Amino acid sequence: MWPNGLRSCPCKMNQPAASLCSRKNSDPLSMKDFWLEVENIKQMRASDGYESSSSEPSTPEEGEAEANWLQDAGLSPLIDDQSSTEDNVFILSTLTRTQTAAVQRRVDSYSQSLRKRSKQPTRDVRDVFTRVSSVESILEENGTDNSIRTEEGRSSNESRPETPPSLCRRTGASVFVTEVAYSEQAAAEHNENCRTMWQPESLPQIQIQKGRLGVTKISDLSPSDMKQVPALALIELTALCDVLELELKRNKAAKRKATESRLFGVSLTTLLEQDRKLITNTQVPLILQAILSCLEKKGLDFQGILRICGSQTRMKSLQQNLERNFYAGLFSWDDVNPHDAAGLLKMFLRDLPTPLLTTEYLPAFTAVQQISDLKQRLQALNLLIMVLPEVNRCTLKALLEFLHKVASQEKTNLMSLWNIATIMAPNLFLYRGSSGKNSEGGEKLLAEGVAGLVMAMVHYQDLLWTVPTFLLSQVRKLNENSVKRFNDRRLLNFLRKIHSDKERPEKNQTKPCKQVQIRASLFLNDSLAVRLEEDLQAADILKKFQEHVTKRSWQMINTMGLIKCNGSFAFPNLELYEVGGNIGEHCLDPDTYMLDLYNANPNGEWVIKPGPHSKPIS
């Protein structure tokens, strides 16, 4: 990104810390903190004798980028004649019109690169279906139209909601719609005047529009279901960028020599391998958790926290001490200066062998700043979060949650959200080996853009960690298809069934009379019978369970770990899950309408058990 020499900072390095903390710039979006941080990084690297050329990322060769993209999108069979046709059908049958077009562009580009090298071109996406007669019309319905269920459990041509432009006019600019694919929304809104312009000095409140199946967070899905999401998100991200005419580039992962360190300069994956020997299920490196915990306990109300640099001598001493004693449990954080701890945090992020946002997708994060419409920018960021490796995604979430806490204490620490963003952006985007010279003007715009991205990620993090409903619908279809391995005749019947199901009215939609059994085996030997009504929600079932248990014997208190309060039982951490059918495991939003969920997944079970983020029921 910035040149290896790094831009000279307009601030003086010997400026007193107090004046750094108390200065008030006439420009609320001043970039002084950004360039001061860049200069600090420059001096630290110079003192370490760092040479950036050792880990320069490289640009993929012609055709290689498309091949890598198709592989990451789960579509490598399209360029491999030995792969089964069914695998292609199952993936492509979940795609929308814009997604299919994005795939076809990459296949065409790959074919052109092969022709230049006098190699046999690959097949057209539509050729995958030619072995099965009469499938072309089904492809038109499935793959080249927005047939993903806009509200899970309802057929798209039975109760199709308003088109995105109409929806935009009806709900206003503050609503974030996830039922319809983002690329389809962008294509429909191309000529519509319903845009939320990017105003970093005044970020508007944006709410997610809840459908009948509620909102799904990343932590709500099982690991097996989340494994399906990145490939689908990458296809959708590419389709969105195609519609917005934004070039989406990816770097090749840079190679870097292994370090002798056990904490700093070590990959996140290696850190977790070490950490899970101590804590099995940890998702964020323990050293980062320890640094953030220290800062939260002692540094949130410190003036200029993150901005004022800690002593380089003390930080190096702390780093060496941590390397020797951290895993032995002999390191004490009691006497660590909060500014030194903040320095360790930034050092940890900068010294990662590959950047937290990954070498491959860092150019995409940088390119997002070119999107002027705020909602479309957030849609792209949402998809980029989905495509990150799990360890990077969890680590980034922990960091953003901490930065939000720092911003919430602005009155005492004098750190506004923009201050925080301008300071942290260089530590996320100026990774080891970064390069690329820019003009003075281009450099300034690039700096402002990445600072704005960090600001948006902190401010809208709840939205960004939401799995879009249309992606969850595609995951359901993939799960359904993964267990089906038909020959050509059965495959045709299967695709015809999909087509006919769309025209068939949903069962129990108008006059529900279904009664289902809900398991709560951790608490009861029997199941809870619930009658499905049109307005029954997940929260209602949990309340019914509470009433059911309250009638049981007092002896259940000890065995169930429930709390007796004011004559009723309180459940501190229970959620309703759907398990099986076309999903692995899905923790339900309390506002989920259960009849709609039944229609979306009639073969699944409903189970009450402790959840990842539930609240007590009063």
Side-chain angles (χ1 to χ4, degrees):
M1 348 207 312
W2 289 279
N4 293 332
L6 302 179
R7 187 188 189 280
S8 297
C9 175
C11 305
K12 301 296 183 182
M13 288 304 294
N14 59 356
Q15 185 174 355
S19 65
L20 288 175
C21 178
S22 61
R23 66 172 182 268
K24 294 184 178 180
N25 301 310
S26 58
D27 181 5
L29 300 184
S30 169
M31 295 298 295
K32 287 185 178 181
D33 287 337
F34 184 97
W35 296 120
L36 177 62
E37 190 67 22
V38 169
E39 181 67 17
N40 291 339
I41 296 172
K42 174 183 175 181
Q43 291 196 358
M44 289 180 184
R45 290 183 175 177
S47 65
D48 290 340
Y50 165 71
E51 295 181 1
S52 63
S53 60
S54 60
S55 58
E56 285 270 352
S58 56
T59 303
E61 297 178 0
E62 186 178 19
E64 185 180 3
E66 290 80 4
N68 291 340
W69 185 92
L70 289 165
Q71 181 177 0
D72 291 346
L75 293 169
S76 55
L78 291 177
I79 57 176
D80 183 0
D81 289 332
Q82 303 302 317
S83 300
S84 70
T85 300
E86 287 82 357
D87 288 340
N88 294 319
V89 171
F90 291 154
I91 296 172
L92 293 175
S93 65
T94 69
L95 303 185
T96 65
R97 179 188 64 252
T98 54
Q99 291 172 351
T100 302
V103 172
Q104 186 64 63
R105 289 189 190 97
R106 273 71 201 170
V107 173
D108 290 344
S109 178
Y110 182 81
S111 298
Q112 291 175 6
S113 67
L114 289 185
R115 291 189 188 100
K116 290 180 181 179
R117 289 178 284 171
S118 301
K119 293 185 179 181
Q120 184 177 358
T122 59
R123 297 167 292 176
D124 187 281
V125 171
R126 293 177 291 272
D127 291 343
V128 176
F129 298 89
T130 56
R131 292 174 55 199
V132 185
S133 60
S134 304
V135 177
E136 193 68 28
S137 60
I138 300 174
L139 177 61
E140 288 296 320
E141 178 70 20
N142 268 8
T144 61
D145 195 7
N146 185 23
S147 64
I148 296 299
R149 293 185 179 185
T150 55
E151 207 172 271
E152 286 184 280
R154 298 192 180 194
S155 174
S156 60
N157 59 358
E158 176 191 328
S159 300
R160 186 183 296 273
E162 298 174 82
T163 59
S166 300
L167 189 148
C168 176
R169 291 193 295 270
R170 176 169 56 87
T171 59
S174 62
V175 175
F176 197 82
V177 179
T178 67
E179 283 82 4
V180 180
Y182 298 153
S183 56
E184 298 288 340
Q185 293 183 47
E189 294 174 4
H190 184 69
N191 296 319
E192 293 288 328
N193 185 23
C194 58
R195 310 182 74 78
T196 311
M197 299 308 293
W198 173 237
Q199 300 290 341
E201 67 274 11
S202 179
L203 295 177
Q205 293 297 319
I206 296 182
Q207 296 181 343
I208 298 177
Q209 183 186 55
K210 274 195 177 184
R212 298 280 295 181
L213 294 187
V215 171
T216 299
K217 298 293 184 181
I218 291 176
S219 58
D220 292 337
L221 291 180
S222 65
S224 61
D225 292 319
M226 272 306 300
K227 284 182 180 179
Q228 307 268 33
V229 172
L232 294 168
L234 176 59
I235 295 173
E236 172 60 16
L237 173 64
T238 307
L240 176 62
C241 290
D242 285 354
V243 173
L244 299 178
E245 298 181 351
L246 180 67
E247 186 176 7
L248 185 64
K249 292 183 178 180
R250 294 199 303 167
N251 284 333
K252 293 175 65 175
K255 295 182 180 180
R256 186 178 172 191
K257 294 181 180 179
T259 175
E260 296 180 359
S261 169
R262 298 179 63 194
L263 297 174
F264 294 83
V266 180
S267 71
L268 294 173
T269 302
T270 301
L271 282 173
L272 280 191
E273 289 176 355
Q274 296 174 169
D275 295 346
R276 285 173 177 169
K277 296 176 183 178
L278 300 175
I279 302 178
T280 306
N281 297 322
T282 186
Q283 295 180 308
V284 179
L286 295 180
I287 180 61
L288 180 61
Q289 292 186 46
I291 294 172
L292 296 179
S293 178
C294 175
L295 285 167
E296 288 179 19
K297 291 177 180 178
K298 302 167 58 177
L300 290 181
D301 58 354
F302 259 55
Q303 291 188 1
I305 193 66
L306 297 180
R307 178 194 292 131
I308 299 176
C309 303
S311 165
Q312 289 192 33
T313 302
R314 289 200 305 268
M315 281 194 292
K316 287 183 179 180
S317 177
L318 285 172
Q319 181 183 2
Q320 294 170 359
N321 192 357
L322 282 165
E323 294 287 358
R324 290 193 305 268
N325 299 317
F326 179 73
Y327 283 117
L330 302 177
F331 183 87
S332 174
W333 294 91
D334 294 340
D335 298 326
V336 176
N337 183 290
H339 292 298
D340 292 342
L344 287 174
L345 170 63
K346 293 186 285 187
M347 181 189 299
F348 175 84
L349 296 173
R350 289 194 307 268
D351 285 355
L352 289 172
T354 58
L356 180 58
L357 302 180
T358 72
T359 305
E360 294 88 343
Y361 293 108
L362 201 61
F365 276 95
T366 305
V368 167
Q369 66 176 303
Q370 301 174 32
I371 302 175
S372 59
D373 179 63
L374 177 58
K375 284 201 293 184
Q376 290 176 345
R377 179 178 290 209
L378 293 176
Q379 289 171 346
L381 285 175
N382 181 212
L383 295 170
L384 279 168
I385 297 297
M386 297 295 125
V387 301
L388 288 178
E390 182 183 12
V391 58
N392 297 70
R393 190 169 57 236
C394 293
T395 302
L396 178 62
K397 188 174 190 295
L399 174 65
L400 296 181
E401 288 173 347
F402 164 73
L403 297 180
H404 186 270
K405 293 176 183 177
V406 175
S408 68
Q409 300 295 321
E410 179 182 355
K411 290 183 178 180
T412 55
N413 60 33
L414 304 182
M415 294 292 297
S416 69
L417 182 54
W418 181 252
N419 294 149
I420 295 168
T422 54
I423 291 168
M424 295 306 299
N427 294 282
L428 291 173
F429 287 87
L430 263 177
Y431 59 97
R432 287 185 179 268
S434 56
S435 62
K437 297 182 179 180
N438 299 281
S439 64
E440 181 73 17
E443 199 173 67
K444 180 177 183 295
L445 291 174
L446 185 61
E448 291 176 348
V450 295
L453 287 181
V454 175
M455 187 178 186
M457 286 194 289
V458 175
H459 186 72
Y460 296 108
Q461 58 186 285
D462 287 342
L463 181 153
L464 298 179
W465 260 261
T466 298
V467 180
T469 302
F470 69 87
L471 282 186
L472 185 57
S473 298
Q474 291 177 297
V475 169
R476 291 185 186 279
K477 293 186 73 174
L478 280 179
N479 287 339
E480 290 172 353
N481 294 340
S482 65
V483 298
K484 303 178 188 294
R485 290 292 183 267
F486 300 122
N487 57 30
D488 288 350
R489 179 179 59 81
R490 290 178 179 176
L491 178 60
L492 175 60
N493 292 336
F494 168 62
L495 292 174
R496 283 175 173 167
K497 182 178 184 299
I498 294 177
H499 184 67
S500 62
D501 284 348
K502 291 181 178 180
E503 300 176 347
R504 186 180 304 146
E506 296 288 351
K507 296 180 180 179
N508 306 315
Q509 184 123 4
T510 56
K511 296 182 180 180
C513 58
K514 179 73 177 177
Q515 181 168 296
V516 295
Q517 300 291 324
I518 299 174
R519 291 193 293 113
S521 56
L522 290 176
F523 309 101
L524 302 173
N525 291 328
D526 57 346
S527 58
L528 178 68
V530 174
R531 187 179 183 85
L532 289 182
E533 303 291 348
E534 184 72 29
D535 59 349
L536 181 70
Q537 294 182 303
D540 300 325
I541 291 180
L542 290 173
K543 290 180 180 179
K544 289 178 182 291
F545 173 74
Q546 180 182 15
E547 294 169 358
H548 181 66
V549 171
T550 303
K551 298 177 183 179
R552 308 291 289 244
S553 170
W554 276 82
Q555 296 177 355
M556 297 179 62
I557 298 177
N558 292 332
T559 59
M560 294 173 58
L562 303 182
I563 304 170
K564 184 75 172 179
C565 180
N566 297 327
S568 63
F569 289 106
F571 301 83
N573 190 37
L574 294 183
E575 298 276 13
L576 182 61
Y577 285 77
E578 61 165 326
V579 180
N582 58 28
I583 205 76
E585 186 173 275
H586 177 205
C587 183
L588 300 178
D589 186 317
D591 295 332
T592 301
Y593 286 88
M594 303 309 295
L595 180 59
D596 293 77
L597 180 65
Y598 174 79
N599 290 328
N601 188 12
N603 296 320
E605 290 186 282
W606 297 342
V607 180
I608 296 174
K609 64 177 185 176
H613 52 252
S614 61
K615 296 180 180 179
I617 300 176
S618 56

